[in-house]
Short mmCIF file of all heavy atoms in Angstrom, two decimals:
data_model
loop_
_atom_site.label_atom_id
_atom_site.label_comp_id
_atom_site.label_asym_id
_atom_site.label_seq_id
_atom_site.Cartn_x
_atom_site.Cartn_y
_atom_site.Cartn_z
N MET A 29 -165.65 112.95 -11.42
CA MET A 29 -165.96 113.25 -12.78
C MET A 29 -167.38 112.61 -13.18
O MET A 29 -167.54 111.49 -12.72
CB MET A 29 -164.87 112.67 -13.63
CG MET A 29 -165.07 112.84 -15.11
SD MET A 29 -165.02 114.60 -15.44
CE MET A 29 -164.06 114.63 -16.93
N ALA A 30 -168.12 113.29 -13.88
CA ALA A 30 -169.45 112.74 -14.24
C ALA A 30 -169.27 111.61 -15.25
O ALA A 30 -168.40 111.66 -16.13
CB ALA A 30 -170.27 113.83 -14.92
N GLN A 31 -170.07 110.63 -15.12
CA GLN A 31 -170.07 109.50 -16.07
C GLN A 31 -171.16 109.81 -17.13
O GLN A 31 -172.14 110.53 -16.93
CB GLN A 31 -170.42 108.18 -15.34
CG GLN A 31 -169.35 107.85 -14.31
CD GLN A 31 -169.68 106.54 -13.61
OE1 GLN A 31 -170.75 105.90 -13.90
NE2 GLN A 31 -168.96 106.21 -12.57
N LEU A 32 -171.01 109.10 -18.27
CA LEU A 32 -171.99 109.24 -19.31
C LEU A 32 -173.26 108.61 -18.79
O LEU A 32 -173.18 107.57 -18.16
CB LEU A 32 -171.58 108.62 -20.57
CG LEU A 32 -170.35 109.29 -21.29
CD1 LEU A 32 -169.99 108.44 -22.47
CD2 LEU A 32 -170.71 110.66 -21.72
N GLY A 33 -174.28 109.25 -19.06
CA GLY A 33 -175.59 108.71 -18.50
C GLY A 33 -176.65 109.78 -18.57
O GLY A 33 -176.72 110.64 -19.44
N ARG A 34 -177.43 109.81 -17.53
CA ARG A 34 -178.52 110.77 -17.39
C ARG A 34 -178.06 112.23 -17.54
O ARG A 34 -177.07 112.56 -16.83
CB ARG A 34 -179.34 110.56 -16.18
CG ARG A 34 -180.36 111.49 -15.81
CD ARG A 34 -181.61 111.36 -16.55
NE ARG A 34 -182.69 112.21 -16.05
CZ ARG A 34 -183.13 113.28 -16.70
NH1 ARG A 34 -182.65 113.52 -17.86
NH2 ARG A 34 -184.01 114.00 -16.13
N VAL A 35 -178.67 112.99 -18.34
CA VAL A 35 -178.36 114.45 -18.36
C VAL A 35 -179.71 115.26 -18.07
O VAL A 35 -180.75 114.64 -18.16
CB VAL A 35 -177.83 114.89 -19.74
CG1 VAL A 35 -176.50 114.26 -19.99
CG2 VAL A 35 -178.76 114.66 -20.83
N MET A 36 -179.48 116.52 -17.65
CA MET A 36 -180.63 117.41 -17.31
C MET A 36 -180.68 118.39 -18.37
O MET A 36 -179.60 119.08 -18.72
CB MET A 36 -180.54 117.92 -15.94
CG MET A 36 -180.65 116.80 -14.86
SD MET A 36 -180.66 117.57 -13.21
CE MET A 36 -182.34 118.26 -13.17
N THR A 37 -181.80 118.79 -18.83
CA THR A 37 -181.95 119.86 -19.75
C THR A 37 -182.10 121.21 -19.04
O THR A 37 -182.50 121.28 -17.91
CB THR A 37 -183.27 119.65 -20.66
OG1 THR A 37 -184.41 119.68 -19.85
CG2 THR A 37 -183.23 118.30 -21.37
N CYS A 38 -182.00 122.25 -19.78
CA CYS A 38 -182.20 123.62 -19.24
C CYS A 38 -183.64 123.73 -18.72
O CYS A 38 -183.88 124.38 -17.72
CB CYS A 38 -181.99 124.64 -20.30
SG CYS A 38 -180.23 124.77 -20.81
N GLU A 39 -184.62 123.21 -19.42
CA GLU A 39 -186.01 123.28 -19.01
C GLU A 39 -186.23 122.60 -17.69
O GLU A 39 -186.90 123.07 -16.83
CB GLU A 39 -186.90 122.61 -20.12
CG GLU A 39 -186.96 123.45 -21.35
CD GLU A 39 -185.80 123.22 -22.32
OE1 GLU A 39 -184.93 122.31 -22.05
OE2 GLU A 39 -185.82 123.94 -23.32
N GLU A 40 -185.55 121.46 -17.51
CA GLU A 40 -185.74 120.70 -16.28
C GLU A 40 -185.11 121.50 -15.07
O GLU A 40 -185.64 121.46 -13.91
CB GLU A 40 -185.02 119.34 -16.39
CG GLU A 40 -185.74 118.28 -17.25
CD GLU A 40 -184.95 117.06 -17.46
OE1 GLU A 40 -183.75 117.12 -17.57
OE2 GLU A 40 -185.58 115.95 -17.51
N ILE A 41 -183.99 122.15 -15.38
CA ILE A 41 -183.35 122.84 -14.33
C ILE A 41 -184.17 124.06 -13.94
O ILE A 41 -184.35 124.36 -12.75
CB ILE A 41 -181.89 123.34 -14.74
CG1 ILE A 41 -181.08 122.04 -14.97
CG2 ILE A 41 -181.34 124.22 -13.75
CD1 ILE A 41 -179.79 122.32 -15.74
N ALA A 42 -184.69 124.75 -14.89
CA ALA A 42 -185.56 125.99 -14.72
C ALA A 42 -186.80 125.51 -13.87
O ALA A 42 -187.12 126.22 -12.88
CB ALA A 42 -186.01 126.57 -16.03
N GLN A 43 -187.36 124.43 -14.17
CA GLN A 43 -188.59 123.88 -13.45
C GLN A 43 -188.17 123.55 -11.99
O GLN A 43 -188.97 123.93 -11.06
CB GLN A 43 -189.15 122.67 -14.18
CG GLN A 43 -190.48 122.28 -13.59
CD GLN A 43 -191.11 121.21 -14.45
OE1 GLN A 43 -190.40 120.36 -15.01
NE2 GLN A 43 -192.43 121.24 -14.48
N ARG A 44 -187.05 122.96 -11.84
CA ARG A 44 -186.62 122.49 -10.45
C ARG A 44 -186.42 123.67 -9.62
O ARG A 44 -186.77 123.62 -8.36
CB ARG A 44 -185.23 121.73 -10.61
CG ARG A 44 -184.69 121.31 -9.38
CD ARG A 44 -183.36 120.63 -9.61
NE ARG A 44 -182.77 120.20 -8.40
CZ ARG A 44 -182.16 119.02 -8.14
NH1 ARG A 44 -182.08 118.20 -9.15
NH2 ARG A 44 -181.61 118.73 -7.01
N TYR A 45 -185.88 124.77 -10.15
CA TYR A 45 -185.63 126.02 -9.22
C TYR A 45 -186.66 127.02 -9.37
O TYR A 45 -186.62 128.08 -8.68
CB TYR A 45 -184.26 126.62 -9.58
CG TYR A 45 -183.16 125.72 -9.26
CD1 TYR A 45 -182.31 125.19 -10.27
CD2 TYR A 45 -182.83 125.30 -7.98
CE1 TYR A 45 -181.24 124.29 -10.00
CE2 TYR A 45 -181.79 124.50 -7.63
CZ TYR A 45 -181.04 123.91 -8.64
OH TYR A 45 -180.03 123.06 -8.40
N GLY A 46 -187.65 126.90 -10.21
CA GLY A 46 -188.73 127.87 -10.30
C GLY A 46 -188.25 129.16 -10.93
O GLY A 46 -188.66 130.21 -10.49
N VAL A 47 -187.38 128.99 -11.90
CA VAL A 47 -186.80 130.25 -12.55
C VAL A 47 -187.12 130.20 -13.99
O VAL A 47 -187.52 129.12 -14.56
CB VAL A 47 -185.31 130.43 -12.33
CG1 VAL A 47 -184.97 130.62 -10.82
CG2 VAL A 47 -184.55 129.24 -12.92
N LYS A 48 -186.90 131.28 -14.68
CA LYS A 48 -187.10 131.30 -16.17
C LYS A 48 -185.95 130.57 -16.84
O LYS A 48 -184.87 130.46 -16.32
CB LYS A 48 -187.25 132.82 -16.62
CG LYS A 48 -188.43 133.44 -16.18
CD LYS A 48 -188.51 134.84 -16.74
CE LYS A 48 -189.83 135.48 -16.28
NZ LYS A 48 -189.97 136.82 -16.84
N LEU A 49 -186.20 130.14 -18.00
CA LEU A 49 -185.19 129.44 -18.86
C LEU A 49 -184.05 130.36 -19.12
O LEU A 49 -182.82 129.89 -19.11
CB LEU A 49 -185.77 129.02 -20.16
CG LEU A 49 -185.10 128.04 -21.07
CD1 LEU A 49 -184.71 126.77 -20.32
CD2 LEU A 49 -185.94 127.65 -22.24
N THR A 50 -184.25 131.64 -19.32
CA THR A 50 -183.19 132.59 -19.55
C THR A 50 -182.25 132.69 -18.36
O THR A 50 -181.02 132.96 -18.55
CB THR A 50 -183.74 134.01 -19.94
OG1 THR A 50 -184.67 134.37 -18.89
CG2 THR A 50 -184.41 133.98 -21.31
N THR A 51 -182.73 132.48 -17.22
CA THR A 51 -181.91 132.53 -15.94
C THR A 51 -180.91 131.30 -15.99
O THR A 51 -179.78 131.47 -15.73
CB THR A 51 -182.81 132.45 -14.72
OG1 THR A 51 -183.61 133.60 -14.70
CG2 THR A 51 -181.91 132.46 -13.43
N VAL A 52 -181.40 130.17 -16.39
CA VAL A 52 -180.58 128.96 -16.47
C VAL A 52 -179.50 129.18 -17.55
O VAL A 52 -178.30 128.98 -17.31
CB VAL A 52 -181.41 127.63 -16.82
CG1 VAL A 52 -180.44 126.54 -17.00
CG2 VAL A 52 -182.45 127.48 -15.72
N TRP A 53 -179.88 129.75 -18.66
CA TRP A 53 -178.92 130.01 -19.81
C TRP A 53 -177.87 131.00 -19.26
O TRP A 53 -176.70 130.86 -19.54
CB TRP A 53 -179.60 130.67 -20.95
CG TRP A 53 -180.44 129.72 -21.69
CD1 TRP A 53 -180.39 128.24 -21.69
CD2 TRP A 53 -181.57 130.03 -22.56
NE1 TRP A 53 -181.43 127.77 -22.52
CE2 TRP A 53 -182.16 128.82 -23.00
CE3 TRP A 53 -182.07 131.24 -22.96
CZ2 TRP A 53 -183.19 128.78 -23.95
CZ3 TRP A 53 -183.21 131.15 -23.79
CH2 TRP A 53 -183.73 129.95 -24.37
N ARG A 54 -178.23 132.02 -18.46
CA ARG A 54 -177.33 132.98 -17.90
C ARG A 54 -176.31 132.30 -16.95
O ARG A 54 -175.14 132.50 -17.04
CB ARG A 54 -178.08 134.09 -17.19
CG ARG A 54 -177.10 135.17 -16.61
CD ARG A 54 -177.74 136.36 -15.95
NE ARG A 54 -178.94 136.06 -15.30
CZ ARG A 54 -178.97 135.72 -13.96
NH1 ARG A 54 -177.79 135.62 -13.32
NH2 ARG A 54 -180.06 135.43 -13.26
N TRP A 55 -176.86 131.48 -16.13
CA TRP A 55 -175.90 130.80 -15.18
C TRP A 55 -174.92 129.90 -15.95
O TRP A 55 -173.71 129.85 -15.53
CB TRP A 55 -176.75 129.75 -14.30
CG TRP A 55 -177.65 130.40 -13.26
CD1 TRP A 55 -177.51 131.64 -12.76
CD2 TRP A 55 -178.70 129.81 -12.55
NE1 TRP A 55 -178.58 131.87 -11.84
CE2 TRP A 55 -179.31 130.79 -11.66
CE3 TRP A 55 -179.34 128.52 -12.68
CZ2 TRP A 55 -180.35 130.46 -10.91
CZ3 TRP A 55 -180.38 128.31 -11.80
CH2 TRP A 55 -180.93 129.26 -10.96
N MET A 56 -175.32 129.29 -16.95
CA MET A 56 -174.45 128.50 -17.84
C MET A 56 -173.40 129.38 -18.56
O MET A 56 -172.20 129.10 -18.59
CB MET A 56 -175.19 127.59 -18.78
CG MET A 56 -176.00 126.50 -18.02
SD MET A 56 -176.99 125.56 -19.27
CE MET A 56 -177.48 124.20 -18.22
N ARG A 57 -173.92 130.43 -19.10
CA ARG A 57 -173.05 131.42 -19.78
C ARG A 57 -171.93 132.01 -18.95
O ARG A 57 -170.79 132.15 -19.39
CB ARG A 57 -173.93 132.45 -20.52
CG ARG A 57 -173.17 133.33 -21.55
CD ARG A 57 -174.15 134.26 -22.22
NE ARG A 57 -174.88 135.09 -21.33
CZ ARG A 57 -176.21 135.13 -21.13
NH1 ARG A 57 -176.95 134.19 -21.74
NH2 ARG A 57 -176.83 135.93 -20.25
N GLU A 58 -172.35 132.37 -17.66
CA GLU A 58 -171.49 132.95 -16.74
C GLU A 58 -170.48 131.98 -16.14
O GLU A 58 -169.49 132.30 -15.58
CB GLU A 58 -172.24 133.55 -15.61
CG GLU A 58 -173.02 134.77 -16.01
CD GLU A 58 -173.89 135.28 -14.89
OE1 GLU A 58 -174.16 134.55 -13.86
OE2 GLU A 58 -174.41 136.39 -15.03
N GLY A 59 -170.81 130.65 -16.34
CA GLY A 59 -169.93 129.51 -15.82
C GLY A 59 -170.26 129.14 -14.38
O GLY A 59 -169.58 128.34 -13.84
N SER A 60 -171.33 129.71 -13.82
CA SER A 60 -171.62 129.36 -12.43
C SER A 60 -172.35 127.95 -12.39
O SER A 60 -172.21 127.28 -11.36
CB SER A 60 -172.48 130.40 -11.71
OG SER A 60 -173.71 130.53 -12.47
N LEU A 61 -173.01 127.56 -13.49
CA LEU A 61 -173.57 126.21 -13.59
C LEU A 61 -172.79 125.52 -14.68
O LEU A 61 -173.00 125.82 -15.86
CB LEU A 61 -175.01 126.27 -13.91
CG LEU A 61 -175.80 125.01 -14.21
CD1 LEU A 61 -175.63 124.02 -12.99
CD2 LEU A 61 -177.24 125.23 -14.44
N PRO A 62 -172.00 124.55 -14.33
CA PRO A 62 -171.28 123.78 -15.35
C PRO A 62 -172.19 123.09 -16.36
O PRO A 62 -173.28 122.54 -15.96
CB PRO A 62 -170.50 122.70 -14.57
CG PRO A 62 -170.52 123.24 -13.18
CD PRO A 62 -171.67 124.00 -13.02
N SER A 63 -171.88 123.19 -17.63
CA SER A 63 -172.69 122.58 -18.61
C SER A 63 -171.89 122.23 -19.86
O SER A 63 -170.62 122.53 -19.95
CB SER A 63 -173.75 123.56 -19.03
OG SER A 63 -173.18 124.76 -19.62
N PHE A 64 -172.54 121.58 -20.79
CA PHE A 64 -171.86 121.23 -22.11
C PHE A 64 -173.01 121.34 -23.14
O PHE A 64 -174.12 121.26 -22.89
CB PHE A 64 -171.26 119.79 -22.02
CG PHE A 64 -172.27 118.75 -21.72
CD1 PHE A 64 -172.80 118.08 -22.77
CD2 PHE A 64 -172.62 118.40 -20.45
CE1 PHE A 64 -173.69 117.01 -22.50
CE2 PHE A 64 -173.47 117.37 -20.13
CZ PHE A 64 -174.03 116.66 -21.26
N LYS A 65 -172.46 121.63 -24.31
CA LYS A 65 -173.35 121.89 -25.39
C LYS A 65 -173.39 120.67 -26.42
O LYS A 65 -172.29 120.19 -26.74
CB LYS A 65 -172.94 123.16 -26.17
CG LYS A 65 -173.88 123.62 -27.29
CD LYS A 65 -173.35 124.96 -27.78
CE LYS A 65 -174.32 125.45 -28.87
NZ LYS A 65 -173.90 126.74 -29.43
N VAL A 66 -174.54 120.30 -26.94
CA VAL A 66 -174.59 119.31 -27.95
C VAL A 66 -175.50 119.92 -28.98
O VAL A 66 -176.72 120.15 -28.70
CB VAL A 66 -175.29 117.90 -27.40
CG1 VAL A 66 -175.46 116.90 -28.51
CG2 VAL A 66 -174.49 117.40 -26.29
N GLY A 67 -175.02 120.20 -30.16
CA GLY A 67 -175.75 120.89 -31.15
C GLY A 67 -175.99 122.32 -30.61
O GLY A 67 -175.07 123.01 -30.35
N LYS A 68 -177.29 122.66 -30.59
CA LYS A 68 -177.60 123.97 -30.14
C LYS A 68 -178.13 123.96 -28.66
O LYS A 68 -178.47 124.97 -28.14
CB LYS A 68 -178.77 124.60 -31.01
CG LYS A 68 -178.17 124.92 -32.36
CD LYS A 68 -179.31 125.62 -33.22
CE LYS A 68 -178.77 125.92 -34.58
NZ LYS A 68 -179.71 126.61 -35.34
N ALA A 69 -178.19 122.76 -28.02
CA ALA A 69 -178.84 122.63 -26.75
C ALA A 69 -177.68 122.50 -25.67
O ALA A 69 -176.67 121.90 -25.95
CB ALA A 69 -179.67 121.41 -26.67
N PHE A 70 -177.94 123.03 -24.56
CA PHE A 70 -177.11 122.90 -23.32
C PHE A 70 -177.61 121.85 -22.38
O PHE A 70 -178.88 121.88 -22.19
CB PHE A 70 -176.85 124.23 -22.65
CG PHE A 70 -176.07 125.15 -23.42
CD1 PHE A 70 -176.67 126.00 -24.35
CD2 PHE A 70 -174.65 125.20 -23.20
CE1 PHE A 70 -175.86 126.94 -25.08
CE2 PHE A 70 -173.91 126.16 -23.93
CZ PHE A 70 -174.47 126.93 -24.80
N TYR A 71 -176.76 121.11 -21.75
CA TYR A 71 -177.11 120.18 -20.72
C TYR A 71 -176.19 120.13 -19.55
O TYR A 71 -175.13 120.70 -19.67
CB TYR A 71 -177.06 118.69 -21.35
CG TYR A 71 -177.91 118.55 -22.57
CD1 TYR A 71 -177.45 118.74 -23.80
CD2 TYR A 71 -179.25 118.15 -22.42
CE1 TYR A 71 -178.18 118.53 -24.94
CE2 TYR A 71 -180.09 117.92 -23.56
CZ TYR A 71 -179.55 118.11 -24.75
OH TYR A 71 -180.40 118.00 -25.91
N THR A 72 -176.57 119.48 -18.43
CA THR A 72 -175.69 119.32 -17.39
C THR A 72 -175.91 117.96 -16.74
O THR A 72 -177.03 117.39 -16.95
CB THR A 72 -175.83 120.41 -16.31
OG1 THR A 72 -174.80 120.34 -15.42
CG2 THR A 72 -177.24 120.32 -15.59
N TYR A 73 -175.02 117.50 -16.08
CA TYR A 73 -175.18 116.18 -15.31
C TYR A 73 -175.73 116.47 -13.94
O TYR A 73 -175.42 117.55 -13.34
CB TYR A 73 -173.88 115.40 -15.20
CG TYR A 73 -173.40 114.81 -16.50
CD1 TYR A 73 -172.34 115.37 -17.22
CD2 TYR A 73 -174.05 113.64 -17.01
CE1 TYR A 73 -171.93 114.81 -18.38
CE2 TYR A 73 -173.61 113.10 -18.20
CZ TYR A 73 -172.54 113.66 -18.88
OH TYR A 73 -172.13 113.03 -20.08
N PRO A 74 -176.49 115.58 -13.30
CA PRO A 74 -176.98 115.72 -11.99
C PRO A 74 -175.85 116.13 -10.97
O PRO A 74 -175.95 116.79 -10.04
CB PRO A 74 -177.71 114.51 -11.63
CG PRO A 74 -178.14 113.92 -12.90
CD PRO A 74 -177.05 114.31 -13.88
N GLU A 75 -174.65 115.40 -11.25
CA GLU A 75 -173.47 115.61 -10.29
C GLU A 75 -173.10 117.10 -10.46
O GLU A 75 -172.65 117.69 -9.43
CB GLU A 75 -172.41 114.69 -10.69
CG GLU A 75 -172.74 113.20 -10.53
CD GLU A 75 -173.44 112.55 -11.64
OE1 GLU A 75 -173.74 113.18 -12.61
OE2 GLU A 75 -173.62 111.33 -11.56
N MET A 76 -173.05 117.63 -11.58
CA MET A 76 -172.61 119.08 -11.75
C MET A 76 -173.69 119.94 -11.11
O MET A 76 -173.30 121.03 -10.57
CB MET A 76 -172.62 119.34 -13.32
CG MET A 76 -171.48 118.71 -14.06
SD MET A 76 -171.73 118.98 -15.81
CE MET A 76 -170.01 118.95 -16.32
N LEU A 77 -174.91 119.66 -11.21
CA LEU A 77 -175.99 120.43 -10.56
C LEU A 77 -175.77 120.42 -9.02
O LEU A 77 -175.99 121.40 -8.35
CB LEU A 77 -177.30 119.92 -10.94
CG LEU A 77 -178.52 120.81 -10.67
CD1 LEU A 77 -178.43 122.15 -11.32
CD2 LEU A 77 -179.83 120.12 -11.12
N ALA A 78 -175.38 119.24 -8.49
CA ALA A 78 -175.16 119.16 -7.09
C ALA A 78 -174.04 120.11 -6.63
O ALA A 78 -174.06 120.73 -5.58
CB ALA A 78 -174.90 117.74 -6.64
N GLU A 79 -172.97 120.12 -7.45
CA GLU A 79 -171.85 121.02 -7.15
C GLU A 79 -172.32 122.43 -7.25
O GLU A 79 -171.89 123.30 -6.32
CB GLU A 79 -170.74 120.89 -8.18
CG GLU A 79 -169.98 119.56 -8.11
CD GLU A 79 -169.01 119.39 -9.20
OE1 GLU A 79 -168.53 120.39 -9.76
OE2 GLU A 79 -168.67 118.15 -9.43
N PHE A 80 -173.19 122.84 -8.14
CA PHE A 80 -173.72 124.22 -8.28
C PHE A 80 -174.54 124.59 -7.03
O PHE A 80 -174.36 125.60 -6.49
CB PHE A 80 -174.62 124.22 -9.56
CG PHE A 80 -175.46 125.48 -9.60
CD1 PHE A 80 -174.88 126.68 -10.00
CD2 PHE A 80 -176.83 125.41 -9.37
CE1 PHE A 80 -175.65 127.86 -10.08
CE2 PHE A 80 -177.64 126.60 -9.50
CZ PHE A 80 -177.10 127.76 -9.90
N GLU A 81 -175.37 123.59 -6.55
CA GLU A 81 -176.19 123.79 -5.39
C GLU A 81 -175.29 124.06 -4.12
O GLU A 81 -175.57 124.83 -3.28
CB GLU A 81 -177.16 122.66 -5.16
CG GLU A 81 -178.24 122.57 -6.15
CD GLU A 81 -179.10 121.33 -6.06
OE1 GLU A 81 -178.71 120.34 -5.29
OE2 GLU A 81 -180.08 121.23 -6.74
N GLN A 82 -174.15 123.25 -3.98
CA GLN A 82 -173.34 123.41 -2.89
C GLN A 82 -172.65 124.85 -2.93
O GLN A 82 -172.51 125.40 -1.86
CB GLN A 82 -172.20 122.32 -2.94
CG GLN A 82 -172.70 120.99 -2.43
CD GLN A 82 -173.18 121.05 -1.05
OE1 GLN A 82 -172.57 121.76 -0.16
NE2 GLN A 82 -174.18 120.16 -0.69
N LYS A 83 -172.26 125.22 -4.02
CA LYS A 83 -171.60 126.54 -4.17
C LYS A 83 -172.56 127.70 -3.85
O LYS A 83 -172.27 128.64 -3.15
CB LYS A 83 -171.11 126.79 -5.63
CG LYS A 83 -169.84 126.05 -5.92
CD LYS A 83 -169.40 126.32 -7.40
CE LYS A 83 -168.23 125.42 -7.77
NZ LYS A 83 -167.90 125.65 -9.14
N GLN A 84 -173.83 127.50 -4.27
CA GLN A 84 -174.86 128.49 -4.02
C GLN A 84 -175.10 128.59 -2.45
O GLN A 84 -175.29 129.60 -1.86
CB GLN A 84 -176.12 128.16 -4.70
CG GLN A 84 -175.99 128.30 -6.23
CD GLN A 84 -175.60 129.65 -6.72
OE1 GLN A 84 -176.14 130.75 -6.26
NE2 GLN A 84 -174.58 129.69 -7.52
N LEU A 85 -175.14 127.41 -1.88
CA LEU A 85 -175.34 127.40 -0.44
C LEU A 85 -174.26 128.02 0.37
O LEU A 85 -174.48 128.79 1.28
CB LEU A 85 -175.55 125.82 0.02
CG LEU A 85 -175.87 125.60 1.48
CD1 LEU A 85 -177.21 126.26 1.87
CD2 LEU A 85 -175.89 124.09 1.75
N LEU A 86 -173.09 127.76 -0.03
CA LEU A 86 -171.87 128.41 0.61
C LEU A 86 -171.86 129.86 0.38
O LEU A 86 -171.55 130.61 1.37
CB LEU A 86 -170.64 127.72 0.09
CG LEU A 86 -170.27 126.35 0.48
CD1 LEU A 86 -169.01 125.84 -0.23
CD2 LEU A 86 -170.02 126.18 1.95
N GLU A 87 -172.24 130.32 -0.76
CA GLU A 87 -172.21 131.69 -0.91
C GLU A 87 -173.25 132.42 -0.12
O GLU A 87 -173.00 133.57 0.44
CB GLU A 87 -172.56 132.11 -2.46
CG GLU A 87 -171.35 131.81 -3.38
CD GLU A 87 -171.65 132.14 -4.81
OE1 GLU A 87 -172.68 132.80 -5.14
OE2 GLU A 87 -170.85 131.69 -5.71
N LYS A 88 -174.42 131.81 0.10
CA LYS A 88 -175.50 132.43 0.95
C LYS A 88 -175.01 132.47 2.35
O LYS A 88 -175.24 133.39 3.07
CB LYS A 88 -176.77 131.53 0.83
CG LYS A 88 -177.55 131.82 -0.47
CD LYS A 88 -178.81 131.04 -0.40
CE LYS A 88 -179.64 131.24 -1.69
NZ LYS A 88 -180.93 130.56 -1.72
N ARG A 89 -174.33 131.46 2.78
CA ARG A 89 -173.82 131.37 4.12
C ARG A 89 -172.69 132.49 4.42
O ARG A 89 -172.64 133.08 5.45
CB ARG A 89 -173.16 129.99 4.57
CG ARG A 89 -174.28 128.89 4.72
CD ARG A 89 -173.62 127.69 5.04
NE ARG A 89 -174.62 126.60 5.24
CZ ARG A 89 -174.38 125.34 5.36
NH1 ARG A 89 -173.15 124.92 5.37
NH2 ARG A 89 -175.40 124.47 5.49
N ASN A 90 -171.89 132.71 3.41
CA ASN A 90 -170.87 133.68 3.54
C ASN A 90 -171.37 135.09 3.43
O ASN A 90 -170.65 136.00 3.89
CB ASN A 90 -169.79 133.49 2.40
CG ASN A 90 -168.95 132.22 2.70
OD1 ASN A 90 -168.80 131.69 3.80
ND2 ASN A 90 -168.42 131.60 1.62
N HIS A 91 -172.51 135.28 2.82
CA HIS A 91 -173.05 136.63 2.68
C HIS A 91 -173.87 137.14 3.90
O HIS A 91 -174.36 138.16 3.95
CB HIS A 91 -173.89 136.79 1.44
CG HIS A 91 -173.04 136.85 0.26
ND1 HIS A 91 -171.83 137.44 0.12
CD2 HIS A 91 -173.28 136.33 -1.02
CE1 HIS A 91 -171.35 137.28 -1.11
NE2 HIS A 91 -172.19 136.63 -1.82
N LYS A 92 -174.11 136.19 4.89
CA LYS A 92 -174.94 136.54 6.06
C LYS A 92 -174.07 137.25 7.05
O LYS A 92 -172.95 137.20 7.18
CB LYS A 92 -175.50 135.37 6.66
CG LYS A 92 -176.62 134.75 5.83
CD LYS A 92 -177.30 133.61 6.46
CE LYS A 92 -178.52 133.13 5.61
NZ LYS A 92 -179.19 132.04 6.28
#
């Protein structure tokens, strides 16, 4: 379980993966990238992002 502390913004995630902000919002909306909302902004914890990366890696391996 993620602890309270450092969070990542949608902008940081988009920059990290070299994708548009709308792509990050779609991932969050679809539920593939776990997130939480504070006011009108969405955030994720680095631990949640690591889980997302693992799932993406497994999906790529399974599709080969």
Side-chain angles (χ1 to χ4, degrees):
M29 181 64 139
Q31 296 178 6
L32 293 178
R34 172 80 172 108
V35 296
M36 295 185 72
T37 65
C38 293
E39 291 82 4
E40 290 173 321
I41 296 165
Q43 189 174 33
R44 177 179 180 141
Y45 294 115
V47 298
K48 292 183 179 183
L49 192 55
T50 54
T51 300
V52 176
W53 292 337
R54 180 175 42 85
W55 291 341
M56 291 178 170
R57 190 175 56 250
E58 292 173 347
S60 60
L61 176 56
S63 62
F64 59 96
K65 188 175 181 182
V66 178
K68 293 183 178 183
F70 287 90
Y71 301 93
T72 192
Y73 287 106
E75 295 85 357
M76 294 171 147
L77 194 58
E79 289 175 23
F80 170 75
E81 290 173 351
Q82 285 295 328
K83 286 180 185 178
Q84 296 300 312
L85 182 61
L86 287 174
E87 284 180 17
K88 283 184 180 181
R89 287 183 182 169
N90 290 335
H91 287 326
K92 287 185 177 181

